[in-house]
Amino acid sequence: MSRKFTKTLGAMVAGTMLAFGASTGQAGTTTAALGDVDDPIIIPVHNWSSQIAMSHAVGQLLEKIGYTVEYTTTDSQAVYEALRVGDVTLELEVWEGSFATAFNAALDKGGILDAGTHDAVTREEWWLPDFTIAKCPGLPDWEALNACAEMFARPDSGGKGVYVDGPVEWLHDLDRIEALGMNFIQIHAGGAAALWAELESAAANDEAVVVFNWSPNFTDALYGGAFVEFPAFHDRCKTDASWGINPNMTSDCGSPAGGYLKKAAWDGMPRKWPAAYKALTRINFTTNMVGTMAMFVDVDEMEHADAAARWIEENEEVWSAWLYASQ
Ligand code: TMO
């Protein structure tokens, strides 16, 4: 079969499934509706499990309807600039706590689209497993945590508590400990797996631990736990030193407790790959979906692409509405 023929056939099949009204019977029109199926849609993957597995799931679904897809490992902050200039095509997990600043900066510059908000509500914050909460009265309140700082000390921390943050790439609040006058130091895990290793070893040795964590994730099901309750987030906390309990510093508050999870796209995507962009706007991750994907990878130890295939296998009702809705 010639390449051209294969391509047209693929477009016709996909066009039949994609409900594009009266035009779907015409191969020419459906090719236009899919767009450039030979040029790959480039999906960036980062360094936490749900994002990588969900990216593979969406990639596999786009391939199902006839697209070519490539994955590229990309820095999770730099990706917004890459999207803006079209080096990558879409982003499936814009977490408000870690990425709102970079996303907003790209929106201001132009070239990137806000492709909608998932149902999943997110939180990214200092987190305590239940086996630690049991050790110190008043947790998860931040002042109670501070009063128990010594319990979190390590041989090299000079008596201060150790907070295990995620990779610097996720750009958390590096000034919060100082702004709140806490008796802690912050260290950075090399990646998500290193955070889970910290939890596992603390659990095995019955030691107190406080790590960066997020929701939805698999950790609640595995350990139970709670986010540290800092003074509530407020926009001015980030920009106005006089706001909050420290009159001389910003960063004297927690991360947003009800953060968004958004999708983003290169602004050339709707023109170049119209059906894929339409699907992207309909894609909607729930809390359960994101938690399940993290569980497949981090608890069941599946490869990301296999986790994606399993999710597709088990959730046809969900994804068929993303792909085939007539709009
Ligand atoms: C960006 N993350 C979900 C790891 O906080």
Side-chain angles (χ1 to χ4, degrees):
M1 217 185 281
S2 77
R3 179 167 186 163
K4 186 152 193 278
F5 181 68
T6 312
K7 177 179 148 190
T8 309
L9 183 64
M12 285 173 69
V13 170
T16 311
M17 296 189 294
L18 291 158
F20 281 108
S23 62
T24 52
Q26 297 159 32
T29 315
T30 53
T31 302
L34 280 172
D36 190 349
V37 294
D38 287 334
D39 212 16
I41 290 176
I42 300 178
I43 304 184
V45 291
H46 308 305
N47 51 2
W48 65 96
S49 303
S50 69
Q51 196 274 347
I52 306 172
M54 280 317 237
S55 292
H56 278 272
V58 168
Q60 289 172 22
L61 291 172
L62 292 176
E63 283 174 344
K64 246 185 215 300
I65 58 173
Y67 287 108
T68 311
V69 173
E70 272 175 22
Y71 306 93
T72 179
T73 300
T74 308
D75 178 281
S76 58
Q77 300 290 339
V79 73
Y80 297 98
E81 181 64 16
L83 273 166
R84 214 177 62 70
V85 300
D87 284 350
V88 299
T89 311
L90 58 89
E91 168 62 54
L92 289 164
E93 290 194 5
V94 185
W95 291 64
E96 181 172 359
S98 288
F99 309 119
T101 305
F103 181 43
N104 289 334
L107 284 170
D108 284 348
K109 280 187 174 174
I112 185 172
L113 298 171
D114 179 337
T117 306
H118 299 287
D119 279 350
V121 171
T122 62
R123 189 164 180 186
E124 304 171 81
E125 188 58 277
W126 296 37
W127 187 86
L128 300 155
D130 279 345
F131 66 80
T132 294
I133 291 173
K135 290 180 187 296
C136 167
L139 292 181
D141 176 73
W142 74 275
E143 288 178 288
L145 175 68
N146 201 36
C148 289
E150 229 170 88
M151 198 182 277
F152 297 83
R154 298 189 179 191
D156 54 356
S157 69
K160 294 189 177 218
V162 172
Y163 161 53
V164 186
D165 198 359
V168 178
E169 179 188 321
W170 296 341
L171 273 197
H172 301 130
D173 217 329
L174 301 179
D175 294 332
R176 190 183 304 172
I177 288 172
E178 189 188 342
L180 292 175
M182 294 178 77
N183 196 23
F184 269 80
I185 61 165
Q186 183 163 3
I187 62 170
H188 293 277
L195 288 173
W196 316 144
E198 290 277 352
L199 277 177
E200 204 177 320
S201 104
N205 299 314
D206 196 29
E207 287 165 357
V209 70
V210 56
V211 297
F212 174 74
N213 198 353
W214 54 92
S215 175
N217 204 355
F218 72 93
T219 39
D220 288 290
L222 208 59
Y223 296 105
F227 290 109
V228 175
E229 294 297 344
F230 285 102
F233 176 80
H234 190 286
D235 280 336
R236 280 175 61 203
C237 168
K238 297 276 181 197
T239 54
D240 179 353
S242 71
W243 184 93
I245 63 175
N246 183 333
N248 304 312
M249 275 184 83
T250 58
S251 303
D252 46 353
C253 68
S255 306
Y260 64 63
L261 185 66
K262 277 184 173 292
K263 302 160 284 179
W266 168 51
D267 75 357
M269 185 186 180
R271 185 174 24 86
K272 192 168 166 72
W273 298 287
Y277 181 72
K278 278 210 155 89
L280 177 65
T281 62
R282 287 187 292 253
I283 285 171
N284 180 13
F285 300 168
T286 62
T287 296
N288 185 30
M289 222 178 267
V290 178
T292 299
M293 274 304 206
M295 186 84 80
F296 283 175
V297 176
D298 291 313
V299 180
D300 298 348
E301 300 189 341
M302 299 181 76
E303 295 294 330
H304 297 108
D306 296 341
R310 173 170 165 194
W311 186 86
I312 287 172
E313 176 87 27
E314 294 175 359
N315 291 277
E316 180 161 0
E317 247 170 76
V318 177
W319 57 256
S320 56
W322 298 346
L323 293 184
Y324 307 134
S326 53
Q327 271 176 34

